[in-house]
């Protein structure tokens, strides 16, 4: 009898996944219609792609923080690796692949691969650490990536690709192009990122994360998160599964970075700093750890909010901070949460 | 500090139940010892466990019983001595490797995956039997479906030994205490062990639950024909179910024998009741 009153996990989970996919599709359709019928302001239209990119960042970080239970503070680092490698590859492909959506898709794949490799290399030392130590090292990693990219020069000419660090010693031939220019980043990017492509990437990341979480790997991630010692006692390879979550998350962030960068004509490494990492973490915490729909809503709301608060000029960031604090208190307070679950029309009687 | 241990042949005077006497023992501990917090938590521990033997490991609080389990499962590495599992030295193995080699355990302070469902707790333990890769999970290929369905069936079957199959979808953390202890046993069984270590499985259970547990352990033993080491303070359970009993006190083995022998052993009575004032 008491069992019947307890939440049926599997059904709740399936329903939550369905609601998440539907919400994204419905939001996409609404905004696409509004955008093409001229209902959106141009500033809002310009934010559609970044919002998609941040949604992917939040969902991918949630895989590490919420599902795998590791605090990572360098997620923007993977975004920036994806952005630079993605854009650079798009520029190299410009003449061979003239179809813009195909080039964008390929650039996102390149971004994902480079970020995944970085995730793997960083994961080797980092995933041996626990808790605060891991947070500190990932923070440092984000900063290191930023300063490497700030001092990185990459160009192409008739003789092939040229790299250099600190100063530009690529000595390109006439007709060559210096693509990454140290602190100046990449400029002259063709803005080929589109809202439909952003939507597709959001759906793909949701599919990757949801399907992974509901597989043997996801069970392992969560088992290790819930109790590491018990997980070892049943033969789960801790490092392997932490690495799998970390690398998957990095790859998705890389793809998001490539998408994000190709929404602007210029991109610099400083754009992906510690503040960006923290912002993404705020999306995850605010939306709820392990709650992908929450991450998505938080990413959208907190990207739009500063724009909407622009009318308050000087008090903008103050208001932003107050709203953040109030929401955090609200979502983490058991009584307030209970109040909202009571309002939830999807709630089943047994859940009370 | 870890010192290199080497193979020491086990003295053949180990007492095994008749049914196991002709076969190689599943576990042999030779001269096992470890220092913890400046004391010899376990010292000179020798134990041989037969293929299908149920061994009781008893002793007063702080005697070192749990520490023995932690040594067997490599949570701690022994300072001295050798552990042979199926005749193979487990020196240098990790907890994960020891589990794959056949030791599964439960914990004195329940360690379930609280946010996972009951079925998922069990299926997590079947991970090493599953083959499908990440890609077939993400793309939901047929391999994923086939193995997941098979795993779910097996999980329900294992749960049904403890009459828990209808709790499969409940979060493990919200189970009543007794059910949590039983789930830990099911989870351990799901790894296909040849040696099952149960750390106070009846702790906190009422007499009727304990009686049911006794039946379930018997059932498990019969079905899987595995060896079990049982740490337990409930003497009726231990005396009822065990083939042999090993008594620890202050990290030392003070008695070994059949339940009848242990019950009448003066050293054991003294350890439990204290020395009589002269
Ligand atoms: N990690 C540790 N560090 C220091 N001392 C420890 C550690 N683990 C165990 N001990 C000590 O080793 C001794 C044996 O502990 P153990 O937990 O094995 O006892 P036990 O027989 O399982 O007792 P109980 O019946 O209370 O569970 C105790 O004195 C304990 O304080
Ligand atoms: Mg103990």
């Amino acid at each position: 009898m008491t069992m019947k009153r307890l939440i049926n996990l599997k059904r709740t989970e399936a329903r939550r996944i369905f609601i998440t996919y539907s919400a994204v599709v419905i939001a996409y359709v609404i905004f696409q219609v509004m955008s093409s019928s001229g209902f959106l302001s141009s500033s809002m239209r310009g934010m559609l792609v970044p919002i998609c990119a941040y949604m992917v960042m939040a969902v991918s970080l949630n895989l590490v923080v919420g599902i795998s239970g590791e605090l990572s503070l360098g997620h923007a680092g993977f975004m920036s690796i994806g952005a630079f490698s993605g854009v650079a590859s798009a520029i190299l492909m410009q003449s061979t692949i003239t179809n813009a959506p195909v080039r964008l898709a390929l650039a996102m794949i390149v971004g994902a691969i480079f970020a995944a490799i970085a995730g793997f290399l960083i994961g080797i030392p980092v995933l041996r650490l626990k808790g605060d130590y891991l947070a500190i090292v990932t923070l440092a990693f984000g900063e290191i990536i930023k300063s490497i990219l700030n001092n990185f020069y990459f160009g192409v000419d008739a003789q092939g690709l040229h790299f250099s660090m600190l100063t530009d010693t690529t000595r390109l031939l006439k007709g060559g192009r210096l693509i990454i220019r140290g602190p100046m980043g990449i400029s002259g990017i063709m803005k080929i990122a589109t809202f439909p492509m952003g939507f597709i990437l959001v759906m793909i990341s949701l599919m990757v994360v949801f399907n992974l979480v509901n597989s043997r790997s996801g069970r392992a991630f969560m088992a290790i998160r819930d109790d590491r010692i018990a997980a070892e006692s049943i033969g789960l390879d801790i490092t392997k599964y932490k690495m799998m979550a970390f690398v998957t998350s990095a790859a998705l962030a890389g793809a998001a970075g490539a998408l994000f960068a190709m929404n602007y004509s210029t991109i610099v490494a400083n754009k992906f700093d510690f503040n960006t990492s923290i912002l993404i973490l705020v999306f995850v915490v605010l939306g709820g750890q392990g709650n992908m729909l929450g991450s998505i809503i938080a990413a959208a709301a907190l990207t739009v909010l500063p724009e909407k608060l622009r009318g308050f000029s000087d008090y903008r960031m103050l208001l932003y901070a107050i709203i953040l604090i109030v929401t955090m208190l609200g979502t983490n307070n058991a009584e307030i949460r209970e109040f909202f679950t009571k309002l939830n029309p999807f709630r089943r009687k047994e859940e009370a | 500090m870890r010192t290199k241990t080497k193979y020491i042949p086990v003295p053949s005077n180990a007492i095994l139940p008749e049914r196991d006497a002709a076969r190689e023992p599943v576990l042999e501990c030779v001269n096992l010892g470890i220092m913890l917090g400046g004391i010899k938590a376990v010292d000179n521990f020798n134990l041989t466990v037969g293929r299908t033997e149920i061994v009781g490991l008893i002793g007063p609080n702080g005697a070192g019983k749990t520490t023995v389990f932690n040594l067997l499962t490599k949570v701690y590495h022994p300072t001295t001595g050798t552990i042979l599992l199926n005749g193979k030295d487990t020196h240098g193995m990790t907890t994960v490797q020891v589990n794959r080699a056949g030791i599964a355990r439960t914990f004195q302070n329940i360690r379930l995956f609280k946010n996972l469902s009951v079925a998922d707790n069990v299926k997590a333990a079947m991970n090493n039997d599953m083959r499908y890769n990440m890609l077939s999970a993400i793309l939901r290929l047929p391999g994923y479906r086939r193995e997941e369905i098979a795993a779910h069936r097996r999980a329900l079957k294992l749960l049904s030994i403890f009459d828990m199959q209808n709790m499969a979808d409940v979060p493990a953390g919200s189970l009543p205490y007794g059910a949590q202890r039983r789930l830990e046993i099911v989870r351990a069984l799901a790894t296909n062990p040849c040696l099952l270590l149960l750390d106070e499985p009846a702790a906190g259970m009422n007499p009727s639950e304990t009686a049911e547990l006794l039946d379930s352990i018997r059932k498990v033993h019969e079905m899987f024909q595995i060896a079990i080491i049982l740490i337990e303070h409930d003497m009726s359970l231990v005396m009822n179910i065990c083939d042999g009993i090993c008594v620890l006190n202050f990290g030392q083995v003070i008695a070994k024998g059949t339940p009848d022998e242990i019950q009448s052993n003066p050293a054991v009575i003294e350890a439990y009741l204290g020395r009589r004032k002269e």
Side-chain angles (χ1 to χ4, degrees):
Chain A
M1 229 248 340
T2 49
M3 279 315 126
K4 275 191 187 154
R5 297 191 61 230
L6 291 164
I7 306 165
N8 184 324
L9 256 192
K10 221 165 73 187
R11 273 210 234 155
T12 336
E13 173 74 8
R15 201 177 49 213
R16 200 198 290 169
I17 291 173
F18 176 73
I19 291 174
T20 308
Y21 282 131
S22 329
V24 172
V25 172
I26 292 168
Y28 168 70
V29 170
I30 292 174
F31 278 91
Q32 183 66 342
V33 168
M34 278 172 72
S35 158
S36 51
S37 58
F39 271 109
L40 282 187
S41 66
S42 72
S43 80
M44 266 303 286
R45 256 207 320 274
M47 282 168 72
L48 291 175
V49 169
I51 288 173
C52 291
Y54 281 130
M55 283 177 174
V56 175
M57 291 304 292
V59 167
S60 58
L61 184 62
N62 209 338
L63 179 63
V64 170
V65 175
I67 305 295
S68 200
E70 300 286 5
L71 186 54
S72 166
L73 296 180
H75 209 45
F78 296 121
M79 192 183 191
S80 103
I81 289 174
F84 277 82
S85 58
V87 171
S89 69
I91 290 173
L92 292 175
M93 289 185 288
Q94 212 152 301
S95 51
T96 41
I97 298 163
T98 46
N99 183 319
V102 173
R103 197 161 73 237
L104 175 62
L106 287 173
M108 290 197 297
I109 292 171
V110 170
I113 291 170
F114 271 82
I117 293 169
F120 180 76
L121 294 177
I122 291 148
I124 295 170
V126 162
L127 294 175
R128 291 171 187 280
L129 304 168
K130 289 175 198 164
D132 301 346
Y133 297 105
L134 188 128
I136 291 164
V137 176
T138 49
L139 186 160
F141 149 72
E143 292 302 297
I144 290 168
I145 290 292
K146 193 181 74 181
S147 38
I148 289 178
L149 285 174
N150 263 330
N151 291 292
F152 184 66
Y153 295 83
F154 168 62
V156 61
D157 63 14
Q159 286 182 337
L161 307 176
H162 301 267
F163 307 87
S164 77
M165 287 297 294
L166 296 175
T167 52
D168 178 15
T169 54
T170 49
R171 287 194 206 90
L172 299 179
L173 298 176
K174 217 171 181 181
R177 176 171 178 185
L178 189 59
I179 298 175
I180 301 178
R181 294 184 300 165
M184 316 266 286
I186 307 180
S187 51
I189 303 170
M190 280 180 79
K191 298 204 251 174
I192 53 175
T194 58
F195 183 40
M197 207 56 153
F199 163 72
I200 292 171
L201 187 61
V202 172
M203 291 299 275
I204 289 175
S205 4
L206 283 177
M207 187 182 96
V208 169
V209 171
F210 279 142
N211 288 357
L212 202 56
V213 167
N214 288 291
S215 75
R216 70 188 184 107
S217 315
R219 275 196 298 268
F221 300 160
M222 293 185 284
I224 292 164
R225 171 198 69 193
D226 279 7
D227 198 313
R228 188 190 165 98
I229 291 175
E232 282 183 329
S233 86
I234 55 166
L236 295 181
D237 187 334
I238 310 274
T239 322
K240 173 181 153 188
Y241 286 106
K242 289 204 157 169
M243 186 62 101
M244 192 188 277
F246 199 65
V247 171
T248 308
S249 165
L252 291 173
L259 175 82
F260 181 86
M262 273 178 287
N263 190 51
Y264 301 97
S265 54
T266 306
I267 199 85
V268 292
N270 284 345
K271 175 78 190 128
F272 309 100
D273 59 358
F274 179 59
N275 290 331
T276 311
S277 290
I278 291 297
L279 183 69
I280 299 158
L281 186 64
V282 169
F283 299 157
V284 172
V285 175
L286 202 60
Q289 296 188 26
N291 182 347
M292 300 304 156
L293 182 58
S295 287
I296 282 181
I297 294 172
L302 292 189
T303 313
V304 174
L305 194 61
E307 280 308 303
K308 291 285 161 203
L309 291 177
R310 227 171 250 294
F312 297 91
S313 60
D314 288 353
Y315 301 104
R316 187 165 74 104
M317 288 328 273
L318 182 65
L319 269 176
Y320 181 79
I322 291 171
I323 292 173
L324 256 185
I325 292 168
V326 170
T327 327
M328 290 234 187
L329 286 176
T331 46
N332 288 316
N333 183 307
E335 280 167 35
I336 299 175
R337 237 191 356 238
E338 201 172 313
F339 174 75
F340 278 109
T341 43
K342 275 183 195 151
L343 294 180
N344 182 356
F346 294 109
R347 185 179 64 110
R348 289 173 38 213
K349 271 183 194 148
E350 292 95 317
E351 285 181 31
Chain B
M1 218 191 67
R2 263 166 76 183
T3 47
K4 182 120 182 111
T5 58
K6 56 178 191 290
Y7 186 96
I8 306 165
V10 177
S12 55
N13 59 7
I15 329 143
L16 295 178
E18 221 166 288
R19 58 174 188 273
D20 288 337
R23 297 157 72 191
E24 180 200 42
V26 69
L27 178 78
E28 296 156 84
C29 301
V30 187
N31 194 20
L32 213 51
I34 187 169
M35 296 282 291
L36 282 175
I39 57 155
K40 287 180 174 168
V42 170
D43 189 28
N44 198 18
F45 181 81
N46 291 286
L47 183 70
T48 304
V49 180
R51 283 275 128 201
T52 63
E53 190 176 5
I54 304 183
V55 177
L57 188 56
I58 64 172
N61 290 113
K65 307 180 293 295
T66 300
T67 306
V68 169
F69 277 14
N70 286 337
L71 287 172
L72 294 180
T73 55
K74 301 290 170 184
V75 173
Y76 303 143
H77 292 275
T79 324
T80 61
T82 312
I83 301 166
L84 302 174
L85 180 64
N86 295 317
K88 270 199 236 98
D89 193 344
T90 64
H91 176 77
M93 284 190 182
T94 62
T95 305
V96 171
Q97 289 167 331
V98 164
N99 173 262
R100 289 180 185 174
I103 301 183
R105 73 176 289 185
T106 67
F107 296 88
Q108 184 172 354
N109 324 305
I110 301 171
R111 286 180 173 275
L112 286 173
F113 309 127
K114 290 200 180 67
N115 299 301
L116 295 187
S117 71
V118 167
D120 278 345
N121 267 269
V122 182
K123 284 189 267 179
M126 298 177 189
N127 190 53
N128 292 333
D129 288 341
M130 300 174 92
R131 286 282 153 271
Y132 72 81
N133 57 23
M134 209 175 137
L135 201 67
S136 38
I138 291 171
L139 300 177
R140 293 277 153 108
L141 298 181
Y144 161 85
R145 254 167 229 290
R146 189 169 3 94
E147 286 189 32
E148 281 294 319
I149 291 169
H152 194 72
R153 286 223 183 98
R154 179 157 172 254
L156 291 182
K157 216 175 249 171
L158 289 173
L159 284 167
S160 71
I161 300 174
F162 290 81
D163 208 15
M164 291 177 73
Q165 69 278 24
N166 46 12
M167 302 177 191
D169 291 334
V170 169
S174 65
L175 285 179
Y177 192 75
Q180 294 201 6
R181 286 222 173 272
R182 284 179 280 148
L183 177 55
E184 272 214 329
I185 302 178
V186 178
R187 183 181 65 185
L189 279 173
T191 64
N192 289 322
C194 53
L195 173 63
L196 181 62
L197 311 179
L198 303 177
D199 200 342
E200 305 200 13
M205 285 189 180
N206 61 36
S208 80
E209 277 181 311
T210 308
E212 274 172 36
L213 179 74
L214 181 104
D215 285 342
S216 306
I217 295 176
R218 280 226 173 91
K219 206 152 107 195
V220 164
H221 184 245
E222 232 143 71
M223 282 175 77
F224 298 95
Q225 295 288 310
I226 53 175
I228 299 173
I229 306 181
L230 177 74
I231 296 178
E232 193 41 73
H233 285 296
D234 186 320
M235 281 308 136
S236 67
L237 182 64
V238 175
M239 296 299 165
N240 249 312
I241 206 172
C242 294
D243 299 302
I245 291 173
C246 172
V247 189
L248 273 180
N249 197 16
F250 297 113
Q252 304 266 356
V253 177
I254 55 166
K256 264 195 253 184
T258 63
D260 289 336
E261 288 164 6
I262 294 299
Q263 266 166 320
S264 53
N265 185 313
V268 176
I269 295 166
E270 188 187 304
Y272 269 90
L273 302 177
R275 186 187 293 273
R276 264 208 208 92
K277 284 210 180 93
E278 312 270 314

